[in-house]
Amino acid sequence: MGGCGKTQLVSYFLREYSNLYAQTIYVDASSSSSIKADLQTWARELGDGHERDAWEDAMRALNSVSHDEQWILILDNADDPGLNLSPFLPTSIRVTILITSRNHDLGNLSTTNHLEVGEMTTDEALAAMLQAARRRLPLCDEEIHSTQELLRELGCLAVALIQAGTYCRQLSSTIGDVYQPYTFTQYLRIFRSHRADLMKKAEPASLDNYQRGVYTTLDLSYKILPQECRDILHILSFFHYTDIPLAVFAQAAENGFKDPIDCHPRDSLHETTVCKLKHLLLKNMEWNELHLQGIIRNLRSFSLVTTSSMNDSLFLQLHPLVQAWSRDMNLTISQLYRGMAIQVLTACGSQNIEINRLLLPHMIDMLEQIGI
């Protein structure tokens, strides 16, 4: 997913092993036009008659590397599932191709290795945050507890950890010879009260020189998501972020997304919520699991959800910060999506003990959201 350190890992590799490659060609692969522009710029910088080269000339150069050299082509941020990279992949064995992407499916292009970069381990995450904050172990008990809470709420995501550490370092001070750190306990408190503002904030002076805040990084994927994928993502964000069963949606659809029993009168918005769920989740007014799975596959291609299977059932997971970002995006619209999530849970009412067991953690999370 965005912010886990893909580009930074490539940058570190190139610094450590720069002697392996006679030429390093870095390309912004966020779109076809950006790839062509960067290839053309690189080709023209070769000089010696290349000043008017186009991107096609760059590809010809990449396919004619001499036998005594090895070059590396980096296609960075190739996140758009609709982007066809094939025209931009040299066939020469003298060119190493390295692609970074949130699109898991691009791993199928690999002829050698596909490395899936995920969350840091707890120890790695703590070390990164301490380094960014210029702090060292041991910490007092209160600080240890606060760091554990931060690692959990930030989901051990590299960009968020560096951002938190950098923020603490920037607000720390030295009075005389005494260093007065801005503590992780202080950061945790302000994070919980101003999460959205902090996560939008970029820290240009951070340890890894990453120029975007966590939410801004995720916004890049959101901008090119189809609307139905956005809608499903927002609904999912109001479930607990782990083990969301797709069977819940199937059961709710079977019940027409309606209340299983009439306990009290519903307001005028209730019918609108039911209609929106039918429009979004039904195909030709019938439940079609393939339709929802197609939306999930699209979200997965942007690394916004992950999936797992257990006992022939499919479950979804969200990163805690993806969940928070989706909820925080627009508080007014969030009320609508929360209502849709509540209605899915309500419409699942059945005698199926297994489904009721799967619903329990999500119902508890929902009750906590609305303060019950």
Side-chain angles (χ1 to χ4, degrees):
M1 61 179 287
C4 68
K6 300 180 295 294
T7 300
Q8 286 68 31
L9 186 62
V10 171
S11 177
Y12 179 80
F13 169 77
L14 291 174
R15 287 199 306 270
E16 290 294 301
Y17 299 99
S18 57
N19 61 313
L20 294 179
Y21 304 105
Q23 282 275 0
T24 298
I25 303 96
Y26 176 88
V27 172
D28 174 8
S30 55
S31 68
S32 175
S33 58
S34 67
I35 295 174
K36 292 176 181 178
D38 283 353
L39 286 173
Q40 177 177 287
T41 298
W42 169 77
R44 292 183 177 185
E45 287 174 351
L46 293 174
D48 292 332
H50 291 279
E51 291 81 1
R52 294 179 175 233
D53 277 5
W55 73 269
E56 292 91 344
D57 299 302
M59 293 306 302
R60 280 189 281 273
L62 286 165
N63 281 315
S64 56
V65 179
S66 65
H67 292 291
D68 59 345
E69 290 186 345
Q70 187 72 29
W71 293 7
I72 184 168
L73 171 65
I74 297 122
L75 296 165
D76 194 29
N77 294 321
D79 301 327
D80 187 351
L83 176 63
N84 179 17
L85 287 180
S86 298
F88 310 112
L89 300 180
T91 56
S92 171
I93 62 171
R94 309 307 303 170
V95 179
T96 297
I97 304 170
L98 204 160
I99 303 170
T100 73
S101 177
R102 304 176 198 186
N103 182 3
H104 188 274
D105 294 340
L106 279 186
N108 297 329
L109 289 176
S110 174
T111 57
T112 51
N113 293 295
H114 171 210
L115 175 64
E116 187 167 353
V117 184
E119 301 169 13
M120 291 178 163
T121 66
T122 302
D123 288 343
E124 290 170 339
L126 178 59
M129 193 163 66
L130 286 171
Q131 187 177 359
R134 304 296 190 265
R135 301 279 301 277
R136 293 182 180 179
L137 295 174
L139 301 175
C140 68
D141 289 345
E142 182 182 36
E143 281 286 83
I144 287 292
H145 176 73
S146 295
T147 58
Q148 290 171 345
E149 288 294 295
L150 277 172
L151 297 186
R152 182 180 62 81
E153 295 193 30
L154 298 177
C156 293
L157 183 65
V159 65
L161 298 164
I162 300 301
Q163 189 172 326
T166 301
Y167 189 95
C168 291
R169 177 176 58 81
Q170 290 176 336
L171 290 181
S172 299
S173 61
T174 301
I175 302 175
D177 294 329
V178 181
Y179 182 64
Q180 300 287 343
Y182 185 86
T183 67
F184 295 122
T185 302
Q186 289 172 291
Y187 184 84
L188 179 62
R189 184 170 61 250
I190 196 170
F191 173 79
R192 285 174 169 169
S193 57
H194 299 281
R195 180 180 66 197
D197 291 334
L198 281 174
M199 293 295 97
K200 291 174 185 174
K201 181 179 173 64
E203 298 290 353
S206 66
L207 181 69
D208 61 354
N209 202 33
Y210 196 73
Q211 301 295 316
R212 301 188 186 106
V214 177
Y215 283 9
T216 307
T217 298
L218 294 170
D219 284 342
L220 296 176
S221 294
Y222 188 83
K223 288 176 182 176
I224 52 177
L225 274 180
Q227 186 59 48
E228 62 181 3
C229 294
R230 296 180 183 185
D231 292 335
I232 292 296
L233 178 63
H234 286 306
I235 292 172
L236 292 174
S237 73
F238 287 102
F239 287 75
H240 189 274
Y241 58 83
T242 60
D243 295 334
I244 305 169
L246 248 62
V248 166
F249 293 90
Q251 183 66 56
E254 186 179 316
N255 295 336
F257 298 107
K258 294 181 179 179
D259 299 340
I261 55 174
D262 294 324
C263 296
H264 61 84
R266 291 288 204 165
D267 59 29
S268 58
L269 292 177
H270 174 68
E271 196 58 39
T272 301
T273 300
V274 172
C275 287
K276 285 182 177 294
L277 285 168
K278 289 180 177 179
H279 177 74
L280 179 63
L281 291 166
L282 301 184
K283 196 74 170 176
N284 299 322
M285 296 310 294
E286 292 185 357
W287 169 248
N288 185 325
E289 188 171 356
L290 195 62
H291 171 62
L292 181 56
Q293 287 186 2
I295 295 174
I296 299 304
R297 287 179 61 193
N298 208 337
L299 289 172
R300 187 173 179 270
S301 73
F302 286 92
S303 295
L304 291 171
V305 302
T306 56
T307 59
S308 61
S309 295
M310 185 170 58
N311 298 328
D312 294 326
S313 297
L314 189 64
F315 294 85
L316 309 176
Q317 289 82 32
L318 299 174
H319 189 278
L321 284 180
V322 170
Q323 180 195 55
W325 158 73
S326 180
R327 290 182 181 181
D328 291 341
M329 194 176 298
N330 185 316
L331 297 181
T332 302
I333 294 177
S334 287
Q335 298 300 318
L336 168 65
Y337 289 113
R338 177 185 286 162
M340 294 170 76
I342 289 173
Q343 190 56 34
V344 169
L345 290 173
T346 303
C348 281
S350 71
Q351 302 302 313
N352 188 323
I353 300 298
E354 181 60 24
I355 285 186
N356 290 341
R357 184 183 66 80
L358 297 174
L359 285 177
L360 186 58
H362 303 288
M363 295 177 69
I364 292 173
D365 189 77
M366 188 66 73
L367 292 172
E368 289 175 352
Q369 291 176 47
I370 59 180
I372 296 179

